[in-house]
Every structure is written in C-alpha cells, then in structure tokens.
Amino acid sequence: MIDLKITLANVFGFNSFRPGQEDIINHLMQKKSLLAVMPTGAGKSLCYQLPALLFENQTIVVSPLVALMNDQVDVLKDLGIKAERVHSGMSESDRSKAWEGFQNSWIKILYISPESLMRDSMLNALRTLKISMFVIDEAHCISKWGSDFRKEYEQLKDLQYHFPNAIISAFTATADEETRADINNKLTNNKAKIFLYGFNRPNLSLAVQQKYNWREQLIDFLEDRYNQSGIVYCLSRKQTEDCAEFLSKKGFKAIAFHAGLDTKVKNNAQDRFMTEDNLIICATIAFGMGIDKANVRFIAHVSLPASMEAFYQEIGRAGRDGEDSDTMLIFGNDDVYKRKGFIDNSNAPDSFKIKEHKRLDALVTYCNSATCRRQTLLSYFMESCEPCEKCDNCINPPERIQGTEYALMVLKTIYYTGQYFGSNHIINVLRGVFNEKVRSRGHDKIKTFGFGKNNSTIFWKTFIQQMVSSNCLRINIQKYGAIQITEDGKKIIEGDDEYFYRKILLDTPKKEKKSKIGRISSSTLLEEKSLLSALKSIRLKLAKKRGVPAYIIFPDTTLHQMITNKPQTLVEMSEINGIGPQKLEKYGEIFLSIIKDFN
Ligand code: ADP
Ligand code: MG
Ligand code: ZN
C-alpha cells in the first residue's frame, strides 16, 4: 500500500488530510466509483487529484467553467503536476498542444468541459487511451433538482456505458437527498458509494438584519473592510450597478457583475477578483461558481437569496482558506414577496415550484430565527451543533418586548382599511401621514389614524416584518402584496393572545471589531501587519510575473503561518503547512529573505 501521506506532503505540501479526504482517496484507490458531498472549501480537488497522480493510467476531470479549469490547472502546474485543459476559450494551437500531450500520455490529468468531452470525435479518441477515472466536479449540475442545472451535464449519463472499465467520481458541495439520488442514478446507475461530510463551516460568522436602508446597513458592515475582498450579492442587475457605484463613491474598490454584461467585461471582472486584493464584487447569482478565491473575507446579501441552498452556497464562497470570515444578510419582506413572485411566474412544473417555495420559506425562517443561526442553518441540512457563540443571536440574544399594544394598532389599521393594502400605506395611516392616497380613500377618518406617530417609519416597517415572520400577518401574493390578518393575528385582536417582538435596533450598535489577522497580541500587531503586507506585496509581484492569482503562489493561511513561525532556514520554511518541495524551491528563498529583514 502506497503511503498517501507521503504524496500529500511531497507533492501538495500538506502535513495532514482534512476530514473525509483520506476515506475518499482510499475508496478511489480501490478503483471504486463514488459521489462525495463536501462543503465548499473542504478540499474536494485534492480527493481526486492525489489518486489521479498515483493511478497508473490517466484521469479526465469534467468541470463546468473555463475559469474553474484554468485555475485548477494553474495550481497543479505550480505543484509540478502534469495537468492540462482543453476548452473553447483557448487558442487552436494551445488546445492541440494540450491534447497532444494527453494523447501521448505525458499529461496525467486533463480538464475538459462536458460538451467537449461528449463529442463523438472526442469519445472515439479517448477509447484508444487508457482512462482510469472520470471526475465530475460540481456534479449537482446534472440534476434538475439541484440548484444549478446545466443541459451539457445531462449528456454525461452515457459516460459509464462508453467507458465501463473506468471509475466515476462525482463531487459537489450542495446536494440534498433527492439530488444525490438523482446524480448517482444518472452517472453510475446507482453504483457509486455516497460519502457525506458536514455542512458546518465554523470559521464563518452568521448575521441577519432586517432591511431599512440597505446602503446604510451595508456601509456599516463594511466599515473596516477597506483592505478585504468580498462579494455583495444583489437581487437585480440594476442593483449590482447601483451598489458598485455607491461603494466606489465611499472609497471602496468595487465593480458590478451580472449575466447581462459583455463576456469580455465579465471575464475581466473575474480575473480582477482572482488576482487583486481588496476588491468587492457586487453581483447577481451569475457570479460565483468557479470563483475559487481562497481569501474572500466576507459575503453580504443586500437582498434575500432564492433559497436556503442558494444562500448556503453563496456564503460558502467566503473563508475557503479556513480563516475567520463574516457573512451578513440584509432582508426585507418586499424581497420575500419578489422571490415568491419569481417562483410563481417561472414555467417550472408545479412540483418544482412547491419545492422552491419550501426552500425559500426555510431561508425566511433562518432570517427570523431568534436562536443560534448556525443551529437553524444546520438543522435544514439535517445536522446539529451546539450554540456557536459566533452568530448575532448567540452574541446578542434578541430581547423580547411586550408589544401587544403596537400589534393591535397594526392589526386594527389593516382591518379598518379592508386588508387591501401593502405595508407602506398601512404605515402612513398609522403615522398620520396626510397624503393623496390617504385623503382619497378617507383613511384619515379611521380610528387608528395617527396612533403610531411616535415611532418612525423604519420602526413600523420592521415591526410589521416581524409580525409577518411570526405568522400573525400574511402577505397575499395573489393580491399584489396586500397584508392580511391570519388566524394567529385574530387571536390577538380578540384578546386571546399577547404579542412579543424582538427589540428593534434602529441605530445598529457598532460591533467591537476583531483583529482580522487573529491570534496576534496588540503590542506586536503593528510589526506583524507590516510583515504581512511585505509578504503580500512580494506574492503579488510573483503572481503578476507568472500571470496567476496571488493565492496560487501561497494562500493567506500560509503567509500567516510564516508570520507566526518566522522561519529562519529553508528547512524551517518547509515545515509550514502548504509548502511542499516544489514551492520551497520556487519561492522559499525569496520569502525567507523578506522575513529575515524583519528580524
Ligand atoms: P472545494 O472542496 O471547495 O473544491 P478546494 O479543493 O478548492 O475546495 O480546496 C480548498 C482549499 O483547501 C485549497 O486552497 C486547498 O489547497 C486547501 N486544502 C485542500 N486539502 C488540504 C489539506 N489536506 N490541508 C491543507 N489545505 C488543504
Ligand atoms: Mg471545488
Ligand atoms: Zn450561534
């Protein structure tokens, strides 16, 4: 039996496997197919790259995006592994050079798009070679139940019949039970063993705010993040542009990204995000898959994602290097209304719509949860954990306030106006705003007109959102968002029930900000910060010279370890996790000399 750990250290430069990796690799080494579901950042690539190296014959990796392939191949080449890719974004000559290398068995691992792989000419050419394994990365793309179905992936179901002697290994970060069964059925006729690993990402902090002014709330969240990279997810194309413009005005380096942009502009945005530090992308869901940047420090949502799965996948793009990273979801009830509309107006079959509504409802429950967010999140994925002490609800347990009187004001106003209006109008009546709509409907005459004038519009907006969340009120989608009273709401009107609300924080308190480098005492902080920036700047120089993203040279975690360990010799340098012989030879001296300068 080959010692896997030796390859792990000598080729990849890691001193231990991450959870799950060893089991998966052992299974593959026995030439057996599998489907592995592991969270983003868990290290799925290594699970197939390491066996691919050890197999006598060659491996094909199917990947959905050009950016993803380029990135992975760059990483492998930098480790001295013979890997190549063929896709439509390459020049004809590069492509045939890569293909020739594979045909001559000089290249061990070939990355390819599903549509190129399943072409007849390609399948015929591959039959003359010896293929040990087909890897299907982002395998959820094959399932209509998954969150990102791709037609090109569907053809992959024939692969098992074309190459009965090769094993198939499929990897994904998001697949519920149905999706897993679907993937396994399509790719291997249920022959794959399924490996499931935890969804908990302890290095991500979780927080939710009810929306009153997303720009203000976003700036608050971004306050000391001028030197971090992150993604702000928006609902619409227009919002991405507004958001990028707004952040730029506030001094951030921010750009917009959505599916409507020119391909060149999109590629440029992705490239910049991968290579530059401190860049914020304001994006629709079009941005994400294939973004393998390790040091994304935050994910903010300024509107509600489509579902719990989508949310989990989106926040999963932060903190892939294992360092602390923050997430913040800012949501309003109008988002829920819009999302529900998207689902209802799609031409998906009803069974699918019902499922999507449930996935969305689960996310709304997460937003309104008054207990540990991580517990709410994980329970959706059938997992549990102790209160995490790292989410907003754990850090600041929400205070419950007696609000029956306020609730009655809202309920009566809705009742007197016929359960016919959205929250803006209800709030205007409550606060005694004498506008055209109020005047023309005679709503200044109803009993509760002006009863709520001592509280701000934002207060009432949030209060009503909470009443919707706690199921005392309902937003009627068929009636264009009219707010109506539910059975629970009636009980309050009839005096059978009281109503408690979560304390509404109108001026969000400033969180005490943690040192982003972590574990560093304040006396040495300054020095270490400047060492970090020196290391980062040499890294950037090397990356630019080689035309690869900075983290391919070394991820942030490795730089932080250099700061902690302060290696003085190449041997000490080689003890740092992530520095294998290849990297040591290429970059060891350069980084060592920087560290020595700081002694
Ligand atoms: P994903 O599961 O999302 O595909 P990747 O394969 O891209 O994750 O790996 C995420 C990061 O984890 C990469 O930077 C990779 O180098 C790192 N990594 C993978 N395995 C290990 C390990 N055993 N020890 C340390 N870092 C690892
Ligand atoms: Mg991956
Ligand atoms: Zn918690």
Side-chain angles (χ1 to χ4, degrees):
M1 187 74 203
I2 313 151
D3 192 344
L4 301 175
K5 285 225 169 96
I6 291 179
T7 313
L8 182 71
N10 287 352
V11 180
F12 295 90
F14 298 134
N15 42 35
S16 59
F17 284 111
R18 286 194 176 159
Q21 287 181 327
E22 204 167 7
D23 290 345
I24 289 177
I25 292 171
N26 276 323
H27 186 81
L28 290 177
M29 291 308 295
Q30 295 168 44
K31 300 278 166 65
K32 290 182 188 157
S33 295
L34 64 75
L35 162 62
V37 185
M38 295 169 104
T40 309
K44 290 185 282 298
S45 321
L46 185 106
C47 293
Y48 58 81
Q49 288 164 349
L50 197 153
L53 282 184
L54 298 178
F55 285 154
E56 189 187 339
N57 297 320
Q58 293 167 286
T59 292
I60 300 257
V61 182
V62 178
S63 176
L65 285 182
V66 167
L68 204 59
M69 291 187 227
N70 286 343
D71 200 55
Q72 296 263 320
V73 171
D74 284 344
V75 172
L76 291 174
K77 282 185 174 170
D78 206 46
L79 293 171
I81 297 171
K82 306 273 181 293
E84 261 304 347
R85 67 237 195 258
V86 285
H87 58 66
S88 53
M90 300 162 70
S91 74
E92 182 57 41
S93 77
D94 280 353
R95 202 166 41 205
S96 52
K97 215 158 81 203
W99 171 245
E100 241 165 64
F102 192 71
Q103 226 170 3
N104 299 332
S105 303
W106 146 257
I107 295 296
K108 196 89 189 171
I109 307 178
L110 185 73
Y111 281 74
I112 193 167
S113 64
E115 59 275 20
S116 309
L117 172 62
M118 297 312 285
R119 239 173 250 144
D120 282 341
S121 54
M122 178 56 81
L123 292 173
N124 286 334
L126 287 176
R127 279 198 192 92
T128 66
L129 302 174
K130 289 202 179 104
I131 309 294
S132 291
M133 171 167 70
F134 287 91
V135 178
I136 318 297
D137 205 1
E138 312 290 349
H140 58 280
C141 294
I142 200 175
S143 174
K144 286 192 175 133
W145 291 119
S147 45
D148 203 358
F149 174 66
R150 291 177 174 237
K151 266 209 317 290
E152 318 85 74
Y153 258 67
E154 208 167 34
Q155 306 169 37
L156 294 171
K157 64 184 179 337
D158 294 332
L159 206 53
Q160 54 185 319
Y161 305 111
H162 289 298
F163 301 94
N165 295 326
I167 57 169
I168 289 183
S169 62
F171 292 85
T172 176
T174 37
D176 58 16
E177 208 177 328
E178 254 166 312
T179 313
R180 292 197 294 270
D182 197 24
I183 297 172
N184 196 7
N185 182 22
K186 284 192 174 129
L187 282 180
T188 70
N189 203 5
N190 300 321
K191 285 199 197 70
K193 176 164 177 185
I194 298 181
F195 288 76
L196 276 180
Y197 292 95
F199 281 85
N200 195 4
R201 299 275 315 276
N203 64 320
L204 300 189
S205 77
L206 303 167
V208 178
Q209 280 181 9
Q210 289 200 316
K211 192 185 300 185
Y212 54 89
N213 177 336
W214 66 263
R215 288 186 180 81
E216 215 175 275
Q217 290 170 280
L218 181 62
I219 283 297
D220 204 40
F221 173 68
L222 294 178
E223 198 195 345
D224 63 350
R225 299 176 190 275
Y226 284 91
N227 57 359
Q228 296 183 357
S229 299
I231 306 172
V232 179
Y233 279 107
C234 305
L235 187 69
S236 63
R237 295 175 178 188
K238 170 137 194 332
Q239 194 181 28
T240 65
E241 279 158 11
D242 289 352
C243 185
E245 194 187 317
F246 168 69
L247 290 181
S248 302
K249 274 197 197 127
K250 295 279 179 186
F252 291 91
K253 207 162 66 164
I255 51 178
F257 186 101
H258 56 74
L261 293 171
D262 199 65
T263 312
K264 254 208 203 120
V265 179
K266 277 193 289 196
N267 287 344
N268 181 46
Q270 293 203 352
D271 284 350
R272 282 190 61 189
F273 189 64
M274 296 303 285
T275 48
E276 289 177 28
D277 272 336
N278 324 337
L279 184 66
I280 299 177
I281 299 268
C282 306
T284 59
I285 47 159
F287 186 78
M289 193 163 49
I291 302 307
D292 260 347
K293 191 181 172 83
N295 61 341
V296 175
R297 286 280 75 87
F298 62 86
I299 305 284
H301 284 89
V302 291
S303 105
L304 197 69
S307 67
M308 200 68 162
E309 276 82 0
F311 173 66
Y312 182 79
Q313 199 165 43
E314 284 157 18
I315 59 171
R317 288 171 186 134
R320 299 174 62 116
D321 53 7
E323 299 274 299
D324 281 349
S325 307
D326 299 315
T327 78
M328 163 65 78
L329 197 170
I330 301 167
F331 96 109
N333 275 347
D334 50 337
D335 296 334
V336 183
Y337 173 62
K338 277 185 204 142
R339 284 289 181 196
K340 292 222 166 247
F342 288 169
I343 298 172
D344 286 333
N345 299 330
S346 78
N347 22 5
D350 280 350
S351 58
F352 187 78
K353 285 185 185 174
I354 290 169
K355 208 173 147 98
E356 283 299 289
H357 276 297
K358 277 200 193 142
R359 290 171 156 171
L360 177 60
D361 291 345
L363 183 60
V364 176
T365 306
Y366 168 84
C367 292
N368 292 315
S369 132
T371 55
C372 174
R373 303 249 184 234
R374 198 173 310 271
Q375 289 182 327
T376 316
L377 184 68
L378 288 179
S379 72
Y380 179 76
F381 294 107
M382 314 286 199
E383 277 181 35
S384 58
C385 68
E386 294 296 307
C388 72
E389 305 304 333
K390 217 176 168 176
C391 70
D392 52 354
N393 286 347
C394 279
I395 294 169
N396 257 324
E399 200 179 313
R400 315 275 295 166
I401 302 172
Q402 168 61 260
T404 311
E405 202 179 323
Y406 286 153
L408 282 171
M409 288 185 202
V410 172
L411 288 162
K412 287 183 180 168
T413 306
I414 293 169
Y415 183 74
Y416 293 144
T417 52
Q419 307 199 47
Y420 219 73
F421 299 91
S423 64
N424 288 340
H425 184 69
I426 299 296
I427 292 168
N428 283 338
V429 175
L430 256 176
R431 298 191 65 247
V433 175
F434 201 56
N435 66 12
E436 187 46 41
K437 193 164 171 181
V438 170
R439 203 186 331 241
S440 68
R441 316 248 167 185
H443 286 164
D444 52 324
K445 303 285 184 311
I446 71 164
K447 259 204 218 147
T448 52
F449 182 75
F451 271 31
K453 63 174 180 299
N454 290 337
N455 283 313
S456 65
T457 304
I458 292 169
F459 173 87
W460 285 116
K461 222 177 182 162
T462 315
F463 190 86
I464 290 176
Q465 280 177 353
Q466 289 194 22
M467 287 186 75
V468 174
S469 315
S470 53
N471 203 29
C472 299
L473 298 175
R474 132 171 36 91
I475 300 178
N476 189 327
I477 313 285
Q478 271 76 42
K479 294 225 169 112
Y480 307 102
I483 299 191
Q484 300 177 332
I485 300 167
T486 63
E487 288 304 313
D488 285 357
K490 272 186 206 149
K491 282 189 202 150
I492 300 171
I493 297 185
E494 284 158 9
D496 291 339
D497 217 344
E498 296 184 306
Y499 182 77
F500 290 87
Y501 66 103
R502 285 179 60 160
K503 186 168 185 175
I504 295 170
L505 304 168
L506 295 177
D507 299 312
T508 38
K510 300 274 175 274
K511 292 187 293 191
E512 53 198 276
K513 306 282 180 177
K514 304 161 277 183
S515 146
K516 297 299 168 203
I517 310 172
R519 295 181 300 277
I520 291 176
S521 77
S522 57
S523 58
T524 50
L525 192 62
L526 209 63
E527 187 198 322
E528 307 206 321
K529 259 190 177 161
S530 56
L531 174 53
L532 181 64
S533 66
L535 293 174
K536 277 192 172 175
S537 86
I538 187 73
R539 177 177 70 173
L540 188 64
K541 236 191 197 149
L542 289 167
K544 285 219 165 115
K545 210 161 94 193
R546 306 209 29 236
V548 295
Y551 73 89
I552 283 191
I553 310 290
F554 283 131
D556 284 6
T557 33
T558 307
L559 299 189
H560 290 163
Q561 275 196 39
M562 289 184 197
I563 293 172
T564 316
N565 295 11
K566 296 234 173 62
Q568 300 296 315
T569 62
L570 280 176
V571 175
E572 284 173 12
M573 192 68 133
S574 74
E575 282 160 8
I576 288 176
N577 202 15
I579 306 188
Q582 289 279 340
K583 300 251 180 196
L584 189 68
E585 195 186 315
K586 276 191 212 161
Y587 314 121
E589 291 284 4
I590 306 172
F591 282 81
L592 208 53
S593 71
I594 304 266
I595 295 166
K596 282 186 177 159
D597 283 350
F598 270 77
N599 282 340

